[in-house]
Amino acid sequence: MEDMETTTGAADQDWSAGAPPLSRFIERKAQRVRDLDRRRPLIWDALVTAFWTTAALTDAAGGWRNTARNPDVPVWLVVTTSVALSLPLLWRRRRPMAVLAMMAAAALVGYGSGAFLQAAYLQMIVVYNLALRSPLRSLVWPLLLALPPLVAGSVRYPKGSWDQLVVPVMWAYALVALLGVAVRSRRDYTAALVERARRLEIERDQQARLAAAAERNRIAREMHDIIGHNLSVITGLADGGAYAAAKSPERAAEALTAIGTTSRQALGELRRLLGVLRDEDAEATADRTPQPTLSDLEALLEGVEAAGLPVTLTVHHAPTPLPLSAGRQLTVYRVIQEALTNTLKHAHGEERRAEVLLAYSASDLQATITDTGAAVHGAPRQGDGQDGGQGLNGMRERTALYDGTLDAGPLPEGGWQVRLTLALEDSPS
């Protein structure tokens, strides 16, 4: 009889979906039995033992004589042997080898006395349980324990050749053991599938969380670059306009116009960026303004100059420069933007100015941003740790995407320098 033990996790799965109605009905009933076995194993073992003990005692009431070789065996011996062959089933899961040894001894008495009780076949239940839980090499001992009673019966009460009793029964024991091995293999395979599905679900959730974190970081970098730069430009324009309002109203009006233009540009970029955070329909209809490239550097420098920071741009081309991808161009643009934004925020002095140098070689592009302004007393500069280094961290993250290098720090003679080196698109890794 098949033991109803199931694997935790696999028992709750509905494996009968799509099966015929009769198969689904049988599966539901079997599932209830397996659930009972999993929740109350002692109750299930008691029910199984009571059923087979009742059957054995019913056979001992007189039916055993139909197969007996010696009908004169005392009834008390038949009853005692029948109980010894059935009652130990209650402990078959906890002490399977001890139970099988006890049943084999009772079977030896039954075959030796000539009763040939059919309750001896209950040993197959224990063999099945051993095959279901024990290593394959341990199945040799149950088969060896089942052999002596058969040999003793065939030798003492021969009927035909001696192997007519031994070989068929041993084949039956072997097939029961194979059935237990097959059920165990299916159970282990099902448990492995359930565990794999669970791991895949965990991995899927982890990938989703990592993707969400990466997207948040990307959006945070973009918002830092867009808002930080434009607010710095607006602050510079507002300060210049306030200073010029008393002496030159025309200059103040120009500053206000520049503030409005910069604000609208910042608002448009921010609206485009936040559009991707909405649902798919909103994302599909969001503004698709192209990301800035190196061709937009002049507009960037004009805005910085309007905010009060003179900037010069110098480009040294290689004899045959290789084109930069859009992603690399965006990285260079954002690094230059962040460096100039920090200069606007932290550098001061009438002689402050900045220089941007782009130098192409056969294998890489080097962007150097240098300013000559000293830091305001007590104010942090990029990367010194006082503001968390968000700007510098963002520049380093962008640079790392393309295996580039970024160095930033103060100059001995005063000022600050940021140096970015990026490999060109088609250069070897």
Side-chain angles (χ1 to χ4, degrees):
M1 179 176 180
E2 180 181 351
D3 185 72
M4 293 300 173
E5 183 184 14
T6 55
T7 302
T8 302
D12 298 329
Q13 302 295 326
D14 183 12
W15 306 109
S16 61
L22 179 60
S23 299
R24 290 199 300 270
F25 174 79
I26 296 174
E27 175 60 26
R28 285 196 299 269
K29 297 303 181 182
Q31 184 65 47
R32 290 183 180 180
V33 175
R34 287 193 291 266
D35 292 340
L36 173 62
D37 179 41
R38 188 174 67 251
R39 294 193 304 266
R40 299 287 188 270
L42 184 59
I43 294 179
W44 173 253
D45 290 343
L47 291 174
V48 171
T49 303
F51 175 82
W52 289 113
T53 301
T54 302
L57 292 177
T58 301
D59 183 62
W64 62 276
R65 289 187 174 86
N66 296 326
T67 59
R69 302 289 173 86
N70 181 14
D72 298 328
V73 177
V75 175
W76 67 266
L77 181 61
V78 173
V79 173
T80 303
T81 305
S82 298
V83 172
L85 285 170
S86 56
L87 191 59
L89 290 176
L90 185 62
W91 299 278
R92 73 188 187 280
R93 282 198 268 200
R94 285 171 287 177
R95 304 289 182 185
M97 288 303 300
V99 168
L100 188 60
M102 183 181 300
M103 296 175 72
L108 182 61
V109 173
Y111 280 102
S113 63
F116 281 64
L117 298 176
Q118 297 184 79
Y121 293 119
L122 294 178
Q123 297 175 90
M124 294 183 180
I125 297 178
V126 185
V127 172
Y128 174 82
N129 278 265
L130 284 167
L132 197 64
R133 297 180 178 86
S134 305
L136 292 178
R137 61 179 179 272
S138 65
L139 296 180
V140 176
W141 296 107
L143 297 179
L144 291 178
L145 284 175
L147 184 60
L150 299 174
V151 174
S154 63
V155 170
R156 185 167 183 181
Y157 299 95
K159 185 177 181 180
S161 60
W162 69 273
D163 60 342
Q164 287 182 355
L165 174 63
V166 176
V167 175
V169 177
M170 293 304 295
W171 267 114
Y173 278 107
L175 291 176
V176 168
L178 290 176
L179 176 63
V181 172
V183 172
R184 182 178 66 179
S185 300
R186 178 183 177 274
R187 181 192 64 185
D188 294 343
Y189 179 69
T190 302
L193 290 179
V194 173
E195 177 64 18
R196 182 183 179 187
R198 187 186 68 83
R199 290 182 178 273
L200 288 175
E201 289 179 359
I202 294 175
E203 183 178 353
R204 179 198 61 192
D205 295 340
Q206 290 176 343
Q207 292 292 338
R209 286 194 294 268
L210 289 175
E215 184 66 13
R216 285 195 298 268
N217 290 335
R218 184 188 70 82
I219 294 174
R221 282 199 307 269
E222 292 291 333
M223 293 184 68
H224 177 275
D225 293 339
I226 294 172
I227 298 177
H229 171 72
N230 286 286
L231 286 180
S232 298
V233 172
I234 291 172
T235 301
L237 290 170
D239 292 341
Y243 178 78
K247 298 182 178 181
S248 177
E250 295 81 4
R251 296 293 300 275
E254 293 176 1
L256 291 175
T257 301
I259 289 175
T261 302
T262 305
S263 301
R264 283 189 293 273
Q265 290 176 350
L267 184 60
E269 292 190 29
L270 188 60
R271 184 181 295 113
R272 174 187 58 81
L273 185 61
L274 295 179
V276 302
L277 298 178
R278 304 186 185 122
D279 55 16
E280 295 180 358
D281 294 336
E283 182 179 353
T285 58
D287 185 13
R288 296 299 184 180
T289 304
Q291 293 278 28
T293 62
L294 293 182
S295 61
D296 300 306
L297 273 181
E298 292 186 3
L300 173 67
L301 300 186
E302 289 176 0
V304 172
E305 287 186 340
L309 176 65
V311 184
T312 59
L313 172 64
T314 305
V315 181
H316 294 163
H317 287 288
T320 55
L322 296 175
L324 278 176
S325 66
R328 283 177 168 81
Q329 293 191 50
L330 177 62
T331 297
V332 176
Y333 180 92
R334 292 303 190 197
V335 168
I336 295 174
Q337 182 186 56
E338 178 62 25
L340 295 177
T341 300
N342 279 281
T343 301
L344 280 171
K345 290 193 293 186
H346 303 303
H348 77 292
E350 296 181 357
E351 298 300 326
R352 69 170 185 171
R353 61 178 55 251
E355 178 182 352
V356 178
L357 173 62
L358 297 179
Y360 290 85
S361 68
S363 60
D364 56 42
L365 166 65
Q366 187 174 92
T368 305
I369 305 96
T370 308
D371 69 69
T372 58
V376 178
H377 180 68
R381 287 299 296 261
Q382 56 196 34
D384 66 357
Q386 299 182 37
D387 61 350
Q390 293 298 324
L392 183 59
N393 288 338
M395 289 191 285
R396 292 193 188 281
E397 290 175 1
R398 289 183 181 278
T399 304
L401 289 176
Y402 299 99
D403 297 328
T405 58
L406 182 79
D407 298 314
L411 297 173
E413 64 275 12
W416 196 271
Q417 187 177 80
V418 176
R419 182 182 294 108
L420 165 70
T421 304
L422 276 185
L424 297 180
E425 178 71 9
D426 297 327
S427 61
S429 175

